[in-house]
Amino acid sequence: MNDSEKNIRNEFIQTLVQRFGKERTALLPVLQEIQKKFFYIDEHSQQEVARLLNIHPVEVNSVISFYAFLYDKPRGRNTVRVCKNIICNYHGSLEIAKALSTELGIGFNETTKDGKVTLEYANCFGMCDKSPSILVNDQIHERVNKESVLNLIRDLK
Amino acid sequence: MNTLNKIKRTGPVLFSEYEKGSAVKKVLEMEREDILFEIKDSGLKGRGGAGFPVSTKWMITAAANADKKFIVCNADEGEPGTFKDRVLLLEYPELVFEGMIIAGYTIGAKEGIVYLRAEYSYMLEFLENFLEEMRKQNLLGKNICGKGFDFDIFIRLGSGAYVCGEETALIESLEGHRGEPRNRPPFPVNTGYLGFPTAVNNVETLASVPNIINKGGEWYHKHGTDKSTGSKLFSVSGDCKYPGVYELPWGTTLNEIINITGAEDTKAIQVGGASGICLPATEFGRKLSYEDISTGGSIMIFNKSRNMLEVLKNFMEFFVEESCGQCTPCRIGNVKLLEGVEMIEKNEYTIEYIEKLKELGRTMQVASKCGLGQSSPNPFISILENFKDEIFNNKPVLN
């Protein structure tokens, strides 16, 4: 990471700390916002958050590693999550998973070469009455089928 | 938001006529003791699944001596097969938020926090706008309705951890830590968020409160059974014609659920989500209630074409992933149980070893630190017991 990229992150983290405060309770909201903007929380950002919140960097990394929706490795600009609960499975989520994988040319927990999409499974989204469902970034899509998910990912930037 | 949530059946309890703000206005004229007695008379118990009496939780929090207190709404609805809180938050946010204001006034809290699961972040904007509207109507903020009570509600997002639905893990998460459950005692009612007394209530529990205030505890007590008063929201999914959210009185049988939801050829019903129990047709006469089959409301229906071992494997994979790893029975136990399922799948098991795994499951039920580990062996034990013919018959057993 070059200096200008580091500066962009430093400035952003500074505004987050102004917004959420320097208490430990601010840690998750700050990490969530970094994640949203830069798609993962790089080592430099972890150090900067630790410094401003006066927490050991290992603590910051430990928190990131605990939560399924926080990442410390580079990811795609978009995340597509397929629900893997049994109810969605029985309503066709496995076929949808396969179609997505084929279309994107990647397996699950992988990112496309152009950095557009990371594909993942996730546990129950609470949409079992409208299954199968997928999450594209933070938007839920219910009762999807092979055609509709392919249209969805073609629209991603 | 592209999701429509039409509730399949709205009962007379949770969804009776409600004028926005009416219960808050009424409650601010009442003595705190009278509110607690009203809730006590209603017999309302926690709707997340544990069934702890709400009046007791609030009484202890109200009696605690502290500079600050908190009311936390547990909207970390992560139990597989549960979606009632999603529907409540999207369609009846006034009931949930007003329930929080009433709880705050009763226990002496000035701040309410909604812990919303990351998967529901698509609701955030809608809920924030709703809260803003309530502030404009002076139902939130300083001097609510001119009665001298200050209270506000803030929403905090989770980050994808099932265990954070456990109240002490939820508090850890709010404080900016890994969502690992704490030892109890001390309980959150005494030592909760930031060490202050905190009442953590489920979305549905809080949504039940405004109507109890308006119509009285006695009215509420008339619904349901003697030990399970009022109604319950059931999230019904799986092999049925009409999946969705149903408000039904406590005491409803599984057979009635089957009829109402248009399920056919039903072989098994998983009650209470992945951490619940799986019942065969011979048990469909049993009642959904705290005294019989207690549940947070997840009902997953499986018809005769489904493979119960496959269902069990799905649940055990879930627990292996979601165990926080803090205590050994849960961290190791779930892995062992999943391995057992895979051994059965490959026909590489002995009955003796499976029996030992059930024993391990019973140990996990008593030795795990929190509700996740204590309940994660439930599907393993109940599916292998109740569907042993299907799972073990016609398969060669290695000795």
Side-chain angles (χ1 to χ4, degrees):
Chain A
M1 186 174 286
N2 62 37
D3 281 351
S4 93
E5 283 173 323
K6 282 184 187 170
N7 282 337
I8 291 172
R9 282 165 177 77
N10 289 355
E11 275 171 35
F12 183 63
I13 293 167
Q14 190 67 48
T15 61
L16 293 178
V17 171
Q18 273 161 13
R19 182 169 151 206
F20 296 112
K22 286 190 166 188
E23 302 298 319
R24 177 72 191 243
T25 50
L27 180 59
L28 270 173
V30 166
L31 294 178
Q32 285 162 348
E33 292 297 323
I34 298 173
Q35 167 84 46
K36 212 159 135 189
K37 189 167 170 85
F38 299 106
F39 313 116
Y40 79 108
I41 306 153
D42 61 275
E43 203 183 318
H44 173 78
S45 298
Q46 293 180 37
Q47 296 277 354
E48 185 62 7
V49 170
R51 191 179 70 81
L52 289 173
L53 264 53
N54 202 17
I55 309 170
H56 198 285
V58 168
E59 274 277 303
V60 175
N61 190 264
S62 154
V63 167
I64 294 170
S65 73
F66 183 85
Y67 293 95
F69 282 25
L70 296 179
Y71 308 88
D72 61 359
K73 299 276 179 321
R75 296 171 58 80
R77 297 186 294 281
N78 301 283
T79 298
V80 175
R81 295 184 175 93
V82 179
C83 176
K84 62 175 175 186
N85 181 26
I86 191 76
I87 300 296
C88 274
N89 282 0
Y90 283 158
H91 287 92
S93 66
L94 299 175
E95 283 159 38
I96 284 158
K98 212 182 214 173
L100 284 168
S101 187
T102 309
E103 171 74 15
L104 293 166
I106 52 170
F108 275 70
N109 298 319
E110 290 179 8
T111 303
T112 53
K113 277 210 181 100
D114 60 1
K116 192 167 87 167
V117 180
T118 299
L119 191 57
E120 274 182 359
Y121 283 112
N123 286 320
C124 191
F125 301 149
M127 295 297 287
C128 318
D129 54 337
K130 299 160 189 296
S131 65
S133 64
I134 66 167
L135 264 180
V136 179
N137 301 321
D138 58 2
Q139 288 306 307
I140 195 92
H141 298 274
E142 61 194 52
R143 285 205 182 101
V144 290
N145 54 42
K146 278 194 268 185
E147 290 70 40
S148 68
V149 292
L150 294 185
N151 284 332
L152 279 172
I153 56 166
R154 278 171 198 143
D155 289 344
L156 291 175
K157 293 201 172 83
Chain B
M1 221 168 329
N2 57 357
T3 178
L4 279 168
N5 289 293
K6 203 161 167 283
I7 293 179
K8 297 289 174 193
R9 183 176 292 206
T10 54
V13 187
L14 200 48
F15 303 121
S16 48
E17 267 314 284
Y18 184 73
E19 186 200 330
K20 281 182 194 176
S22 57
V24 169
K25 282 174 196 135
K26 184 172 175 190
V27 104
L28 294 177
E29 309 254 326
M30 286 170 74
E31 294 294 326
R32 294 195 161 97
E33 292 77 15
D34 295 335
I35 304 167
L36 284 168
F37 279 121
E38 212 59 71
I39 301 291
K40 190 164 189 277
D41 288 344
S42 76
L44 179 65
K45 292 180 188 174
R47 292 293 193 250
F52 192 78
V54 176
S55 60
T56 311
K57 191 178 265 187
W58 287 11
M59 253 177 229
I60 301 170
T61 324
N65 231 334
D67 298 338
K68 265 189 194 175
K69 293 178 190 178
F70 293 95
I71 165 84
V72 172
C73 170
N74 184 347
D76 193 51
E77 179 174 53
E79 188 64 54
T82 316
F83 41 88
K84 64 186 177 65
D85 295 345
R86 174 197 96 212
V87 174
L88 276 176
L89 288 165
L90 287 175
E91 301 211 351
Y92 298 87
E94 66 275 13
L95 290 179
V96 182
F97 294 148
E98 290 183 34
M100 288 179 78
I101 302 169
I102 295 163
Y105 178 74
T106 310
I107 67 171
K110 288 189 163 37
E111 196 177 315
I113 306 168
V114 179
Y115 187 88
L116 186 70
R117 69 186 301 224
E119 292 83 344
Y120 288 175
S121 53
Y122 62 89
M123 298 180 192
L124 190 61
E125 198 186 331
F126 165 75
L127 294 174
E128 295 279 17
N129 289 342
F130 198 92
L131 288 173
E132 201 46 48
E133 207 45 50
M134 285 176 76
R135 285 182 197 111
K136 279 184 198 148
Q137 291 161 11
N138 196 217
L139 285 165
L140 281 175
K142 297 264 176 231
N143 192 17
I144 293 175
C145 302
K147 302 289 179 193
F149 174 60
D150 303 341
F151 186 81
D152 213 334
I153 295 175
F154 305 95
I155 303 174
R156 288 278 306 270
L157 282 174
S159 268
Y162 167 75
V163 70
C164 289
E166 198 278 344
E167 59 176 9
T168 61
L170 188 157
I171 289 169
E172 283 288 313
S173 179
L174 281 179
E175 291 179 356
H177 298 278
R178 292 161 67 88
E180 291 174 348
R182 297 174 178 171
N183 280 320
R184 304 187 309 168
F187 292 95
V189 285
N190 293 310
T191 310
Y193 181 54
L194 303 175
F196 294 108
T198 305
V200 184
N201 289 116
N202 180 265
V203 172
E204 186 186 348
T205 312
L206 291 163
S208 307
V209 169
N211 280 311
I212 294 175
I213 295 299
N214 277 356
K215 300 200 167 83
E218 212 175 299
W219 163 81
Y220 192 82
H221 203 289
K222 280 185 197 139
H223 299 86
T225 73
D226 197 37
K227 283 181 184 155
S228 311
T229 59
S231 64
K232 176 81 187 92
L233 293 187
F234 294 101
S235 313
V236 187
S237 66
D239 298 317
C240 60
K241 262 191 216 127
Y242 316 109
V245 172
Y246 292 79
E247 183 192 0
L248 298 167
W250 278 118
T252 300
T253 65
L254 292 175
N255 273 325
E256 288 170 277
I257 297 268
I258 289 172
N259 289 337
I260 297 166
T261 61
E264 277 169 15
D265 285 332
T266 306
K267 172 164 75 178
I269 300 182
Q270 177 79 17
V271 184
S275 68
I277 52 167
C278 195
L279 297 168
T282 49
E283 310 260 341
F284 290 171
R286 287 178 63 182
K287 288 178 173 160
L288 295 158
S289 60
Y290 293 112
E291 59 270 32
D292 190 358
I293 324 171
S294 184
T295 170
S298 165
I299 308 269
M300 292 187 257
I301 300 178
F302 299 106
N303 70 22
K304 292 197 170 115
S305 74
R306 305 305 185 189
N307 175 343
M308 295 317 288
L309 194 64
E310 202 172 82
V311 173
L312 174 58
K313 189 179 174 190
N314 186 274
F315 293 156
M316 294 323 298
E317 284 172 342
F318 171 77
F319 286 121
V320 167
E321 238 173 69
E322 295 293 349
S323 168
C324 81
Q326 194 187 185
C327 77
T328 317
C330 177
R331 183 183 64 242
I332 311 281
N334 282 309
V335 172
K336 287 286 152 199
L337 298 189
L338 176 59
E339 280 172 11
V341 174
E342 287 164 346
M343 287 161 86
I344 301 172
E345 207 176 38
K346 285 186 265 177
N347 259 325
E348 290 169 1
Y349 67 99
T350 61
I351 287 291
E352 195 191 355
Y353 185 66
I354 299 302
E355 286 307 314
K356 277 208 177 118
L357 286 180
K358 281 192 208 158
E359 200 56 41
L360 172 68
R362 283 185 276 271
T363 305
M364 291 162 68
Q365 287 173 333
V366 290
S368 295
K369 187 171 175 179
C370 82
L372 191 161
Q374 288 160 12
S375 60
S376 61
N378 291 349
F380 185 87
I381 295 171
S382 67
I383 291 182
L384 292 187
E385 285 286 341
N386 292 331
F387 300 93
K388 56 181 169 228
D389 287 350
E390 173 192 325
I391 291 169
F392 297 111
N393 272 8
N394 307 318
K395 278 186 179 178
V397 179
L398 301 178
N399 273 308

